[in-house]
């Protein structure tokens, strides 16, 4: 079986619709066909200030949501990044192979550090992508299921894997990004020119999966469309309508052409009402399942303990090989 690896940050409150459609949904599908490793990236989370109590709670909440979304501990390896010390260890080696200019060109870093100001932004934020490189290479992943915003980090991973292999000898699998066109980028409901995100979106444009289903329906119904009335997929000229069509299409399995036909001659109100309905059908059981996992912390911890053990056995082997290739003296 080919191997996949991916990660998600433990954000406050809940995952948003972009996280789910862009990434987690694919994770669930890929556990059936691939040797799958999925993690909650708490080391990445502390690149910006975190309250310790909240970080712990958000990490648990993230795991509960991943299980609620359909990850099954018997079909994939689900773990927390900080439980596997090899991530930080390989990241150091990779930091030493990364150019300062190369790291400076990472667009997510540029955006985030510009927002925080150069003196506030941490060195950890600067080397964030290199830690992600280590995450992926430790598991010799063939594919990395993510949204479009992570593409540059996967490119860096490929570059560094090739650089290491070229300099020290064949060690790492060079991975590919696994990005589905239809869901690569889910847009803000109020401003369909930007991606849906916790930091950029206004509350009305952001669908949090754990919000009250009624509130979610309301947000969908007040999504920005355009002054035209035709329901047609056209990313360029009709970004709001296209975003709703993509969301509806993946949640129901109907293809876009089918939907265009279904809504021919109907207004935007009809489309929004239907999207709101499928969304409510999705989030209602999702919330209940998340709560069930949160109510049973022992089961959750047992799943994570098993996941960490499995992940470590793979990560330790790769790290030992990388250390050896670099020329570190083996500890006797
Ligand atoms: P994070 O936590 O920001 O996001 C998790 C996943 O959600 C995707 N995503 C979206 N997809 C489509 N439309 C959107 N509006 C949208 N917003 C977010 C992201 O692309 C991502 O796949 N750096 C990563 C976490 C990470 C990682 C890794 C990923 C750490 N190590 C190793 C893969 C492999 C991040 O911050 O994702």
């Amino acid at each position: 079986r080919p191997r996949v690896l991916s990660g998600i940050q433990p954000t406050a409150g809940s995952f948003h619709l972009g996280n789910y459609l862009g990434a987690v949904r694919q994770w669930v599908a890929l556990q059936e066909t691939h040797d799958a490793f999925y993690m909650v990236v708490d080391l990445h989370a502390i690149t910006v200030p975190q309250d310790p109590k909240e970080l712990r709670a958000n990490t648990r909440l993230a795991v509960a949501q991943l299980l609620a979304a359909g990850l099954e501990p018997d079909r994939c390896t689900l773990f927390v990044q900080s439980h596997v010390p090899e991530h930080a260890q390989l990241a150091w080696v990779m930091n030493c192979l990364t150019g300062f200019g190369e790291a400076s060109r990472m667009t997510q870093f540029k955006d985030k550090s510009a927002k925080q100001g150069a003196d506030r932004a941490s060195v950890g934020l600067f080397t964030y992508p290199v830690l992600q490189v280590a995450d992926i290479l430790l598991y010799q992943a063939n594919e990395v299921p993510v949204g479009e915003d992570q593409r540059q980090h996967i490119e860096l991973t490929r570059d560094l894997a090739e650089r290491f292999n070229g300099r020290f000898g064949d060690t790492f699998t060079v991975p590919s990004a696994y990005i589905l066109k239809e869901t690569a980028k889910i847009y803000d409901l109020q401003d369909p020119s930007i991606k849906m995100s916790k930091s950029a979106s206004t509350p009305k444009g952001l669908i949090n999966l754990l919000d009250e289903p009624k509130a979610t329906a309301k947000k969908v119904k007040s999504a920005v469309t355009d002054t035209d009335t035709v329901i047609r997929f056209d990313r360029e000229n009709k970004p709001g309508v296209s975003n709703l069509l993509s969301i509806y299409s993946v949640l129901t399995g109907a293809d876009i052409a089918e939907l265009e036909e279904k809504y021919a001659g109907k207004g935007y109100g009809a489309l929004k009402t239907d999207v709101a309905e499928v969304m409510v059908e999705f989030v209602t059981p999702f919330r209940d399942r998340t709560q069930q996992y949160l109510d049973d912390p022992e089961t959750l911890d047992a799943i994570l303990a098993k996941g960490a053990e499995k992940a470590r056995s793979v990560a330790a082997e790769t790290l030992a090989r990388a250390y050896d290739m670099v020329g570190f003296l083996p500890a006797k």
Side-chain angles (χ1 to χ4, degrees), residues 134-160:
D135 293 342
I136 298 166
L137 297 185
L138 271 179
Y139 298 90
Q140 308 285 15
N142 304 97
E143 290 183 286
V144 186
V146 287
E148 182 62 37
D149 61 355
Q150 297 299 312
R151 191 185 288 281
Q152 196 186 29
H153 294 164
I154 313 302
E155 282 304 314
L156 178 70
T157 309
R158 295 173 59 86
D159 290 346
L160 287 173

Side-chain angles (χ1 to χ4, degrees), residues 17 21 186-189 192 207 219-225 231 233 235 238-251 256 259 263 268-269 271-276 278-279:
L17 188 66
L21 293 181
I186 300 298
Y187 295 84
D188 182 289
L189 294 186
I207 302 284
K219 286 184 191 178
V220 173
K221 286 184 186 157
S222 52
V224 163
T225 45
I231 297 180
F233 189 91
R235 190 68 89 198
K238 302 173 80 64
V241 175
S242 302
N243 193 35
L244 290 175
L245 283 171
S246 307
I247 293 169
Y248 194 43
S249 162
V250 275
L251 284 179
I256 303 265
L259 294 176
Y263 290 102
Y268 292 156
L271 173 65
K272 288 185 192 176
T273 302
D274 292 351
V275 177
V278 297
M279 200 89 92

Side-chain angles (χ1 to χ4, degrees), residues 5-11 15-24 27 39 41 44 81 87 108 112 128-129 131-133 135-136 144-151 153-154 183-188 194-198:
L5 171 128
S6 199
I8 189 161
Q9 298 209 47
T11 48
F15 295 155
H16 61 71
L17 188 66
N19 296 139
Y20 175 70
L21 293 181
V24 176
W27 299 9
M39 62 180 168
V41 295
H44 279 107
Q81 191 184 28
H87 290 255
Q108 286 216 327
K112 284 193 192 168
Y128 177 116
L131 177 59
Q132 186 166 344
V133 168
D135 293 342
I136 298 166
V144 186
V146 287
E148 182 62 37
D149 61 355
Q150 297 299 312
R151 191 185 288 281
H153 294 164
I154 313 302
T183 49
K185 199 167 174 185
I186 300 298
Y187 295 84
D188 182 289
I194 60 170
K195 70 170 180 186
M196 186 178 286
S197 105
K198 288 251 169 180

